[in-house]
C-alpha cells in the first residue's frame, strides 16, 4: 500500500496499491481512483492522530494477500542509490528477492548519534506519550518491556512505519500494535497538543516496531529508503539541536 492524503505521483508498478487516508473526513474530495480507507472495517476517522496507520488497519481488515507492505506517497523502499529518484524505487522483483531472504523487510536503520530514541522523542513531542505506552506494556504484555527499554536507550531504530511482511506475521503485529494504540488513545488527552503532536499514535507505533520484532525474534532484512522530496537536512539538524539543548519548541 502507498498511503496518500493528496494527489501525487504514483508508481506504475502494480505491486503498489494507493490508499487514500482519512477519506471519511474528505467526503467531497476526489480520491483520483485510489482505494478509500473508509469502506468496510476501518478507522478512517482517526487519521489525524493515527496517520498512515489508517491505511494499514484498512488493509489488515479488508485485504487477503500473501504479503502486505506499507510505504508513503513520498517515501519508498529503494532498490539502489544511483539514478533518478523515481527509477530508484524498488519494483516487485526487487521486493520479492528480499523476501526470499527473510519474511519481513524494514527500512534501513536510522541513527540519531547524539541522543537516545527516548531523548529524541521527548525533546520533539510529549514524554507522557512514552510513559503511558510503557505503563500499558507493563500491564498487557510485560514480556515486551526488556526490548522496549533497550530500544529507548539506543540511538538508532527502524522508523517511518514502513515494512513488508508475510501476512501471518502482519496479523500478529497488527493485533498487538492496535491493541496497544487503542489503549493509549484512552489514556492520553491530546486536545491541547499541536497539530503535529496529535499524530502521536503514528509516532509511537514507529518506536514500537523494534520492540515487537526483537521480542518475537522475527527475522528481517533491510532496504534503503528513497524520498521523492527534499529532506532539508540542515534545517532538520538545526531544529533537532535546538530541541536537544533548549527543550521542545513551541507549537
Amino acid at each position: 500500500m502507498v498511503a496518500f492524503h493528496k494527489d501525487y505521483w504514483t508508481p506504475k508498478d502494480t505491486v503498489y496499491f494507493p490508499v487514500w487516508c482519512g477519506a471519511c473526513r474528505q467526503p467531497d474530495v476526489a480520491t483520483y481512483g485510489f482505494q478509500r480507507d473508509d469502506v468496510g472495517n476501518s478507522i478512517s476517522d482517526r487519521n489525524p492522530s493515527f496517520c498512515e496507520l489508517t491505511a494499514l488497519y484498512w488493509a489488515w481488515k479488508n485485504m487477503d494477500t500473501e504479503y502486505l507492505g506499507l510505504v508513503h506517497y513520498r517515501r519508498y523502499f529503494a532498490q539502489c542509490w544511483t539514478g533518478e529518484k523515481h527509477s530508484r524505487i524498488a519494483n516487485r522483483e526487487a521486493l520479492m528477492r528480499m523476501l526470499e531472504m527473510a519474511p519481513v523487510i524494514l527500512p534501513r536503520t536510522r541513527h540519531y548519534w547524539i541522543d537516545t530514541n527516548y531523548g529524541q522523542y521527548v525533546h520533539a513531542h510529549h514524554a507522557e506519550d512514552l510513559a503511558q505506552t510503557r505503563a500499558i506494556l507493563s500491564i498487557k504484555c510485560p514480556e515486551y518491556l526488556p526490548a522496549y527499554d533497550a530500544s529507548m536507550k539506543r540511538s538508532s531504530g527502524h522508523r517511518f512505519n514502513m515494512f513488508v511482511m508475510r501476512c501471518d506475521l502482519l496479523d500478529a503485529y497488527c493485533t498487538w500494535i492496535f491493541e496497544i494504540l487503542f489503549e493509549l488513545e484512552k489514556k492520553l488527552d491530546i486536545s491541547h497538543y499541536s497539530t503535529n503532536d496529535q499524530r502521536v499514535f503514528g509516532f509511537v507505533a514507529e518506536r514500537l516496531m523494534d520492540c515487537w520484532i526483537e521480542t518475537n525474534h522475527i527475522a528481517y532484512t533491510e532496504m534503503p529508503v528513497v524520498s521523492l522530496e527534499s529532506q532539508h537536512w540542515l534545517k532538520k539538524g538545526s531544529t533537532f539541536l535546538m530541541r536537544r539543548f533548549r527543550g521542545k519548541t513551541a507549537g
Side-chain angles (χ1 to χ4, degrees):
M1 298 168 294
V2 188
F4 284 85
H5 65 88
K6 63 180 181 179
D7 189 25
Y8 205 83
W9 178 86
T10 310
K12 301 302 183 185
D13 194 313
T14 57
V15 76
Y16 293 109
F17 184 69
V19 178
W20 193 274
C21 296
C24 77
R25 301 174 63 86
Q26 302 172 297
D28 300 324
V29 174
T31 54
Y32 306 96
F34 298 170
Q35 172 62 54
R36 299 173 62 93
D37 72 345
D38 62 345
V39 296
N41 192 340
S42 80
I43 56 169
S44 180
D45 60 318
R46 288 174 158 104
N47 180 253
S49 56
F50 277 73
C51 312
E52 62 277 350
L53 298 183
T54 63
L56 174 60
Y57 187 92
W58 178 86
W60 173 44
K61 292 296 187 179
N62 297 284
M63 293 186 71
D64 182 16
T65 182
E66 185 179 2
Y67 291 94
L68 190 65
L70 178 64
V71 295
H72 307 263
Y73 71 96
R74 58 180 180 168
R75 187 181 290 129
Y76 293 82
F77 287 111
Q79 57 188 345
C80 63
W81 285 109
T82 59
E84 295 298 321
K85 289 179 178 179
H86 290 180
S87 68
R88 298 209 308 261
I89 293 174
N91 57 22
R92 181 186 298 272
E93 181 182 1
L95 293 168
M96 293 308 298
R97 200 161 50 235
M98 298 300 287
L99 289 169
E100 291 175 359
M101 301 169 58
V104 174
I105 301 172
L106 295 178
R108 188 166 288 174
T109 303
R110 186 173 190 178
H111 295 270
Y112 295 113
W113 303 115
I114 66 170
D115 210 345
T116 63
N117 290 322
Y118 177 83
Q120 184 277 332
Y121 189 96
V122 301
H123 290 130
H125 307 293
H126 295 267
E128 180 71 3
D129 306 342
L130 296 185
Q132 289 291 352
T133 298
R134 191 183 189 282
I136 291 167
L137 292 174
S138 69
I139 295 171
K140 286 188 169 292
C141 45
E143 67 274 18
Y144 284 87
L145 283 178
Y148 178 81
D149 290 340
S151 175
M152 289 295 104
K153 293 175 183 177
R154 290 197 294 263
S155 58
S156 62
H158 297 100
R159 295 294 179 262
F160 309 133
N161 288 322
M162 286 176 58
F163 56 82
V164 183
M165 288 189 193
R166 198 177 64 210
C167 274
D168 60 318
L169 297 176
L170 180 113
D171 182 63
Y173 173 68
C174 287
T175 300
W176 179 77
I177 194 71
F178 283 110
E179 181 180 5
I180 299 300
L181 296 178
F182 290 159
E183 186 64 22
L184 183 62
E185 189 179 33
K186 298 175 186 176
K187 302 292 185 182
L188 293 179
D189 176 9
I190 65 173
S191 61
H192 63 287
Y193 282 18
S194 69
T195 299
N196 184 60
D197 284 348
Q198 286 182 3
R199 300 164 63 197
V200 52
F201 307 112
F203 294 149
V204 169
E206 289 184 84
R207 277 74 185 176
L208 289 177
M209 173 61 81
D210 287 335
C211 177
W212 182 79
I213 287 282
E214 293 167 17
T215 300
N216 293 289
H217 308 290
I218 306 296
Y220 66 89
T221 187
E222 295 181 347
M223 295 183 76
V225 173
V226 59
S227 177
L228 303 187
E229 296 182 353
S230 173
Q231 295 298 286
H232 302 292
W233 290 115
L234 181 60
K235 180 180 179 181
K236 287 186 175 183
S238 299
T239 300
F240 175 78
L241 290 172
M242 285 192 293
R243 285 171 171 168
R244 176 67 177 81
F245 295 111
R246 295 185 183 178
K248 184 180 181 298
T249 55

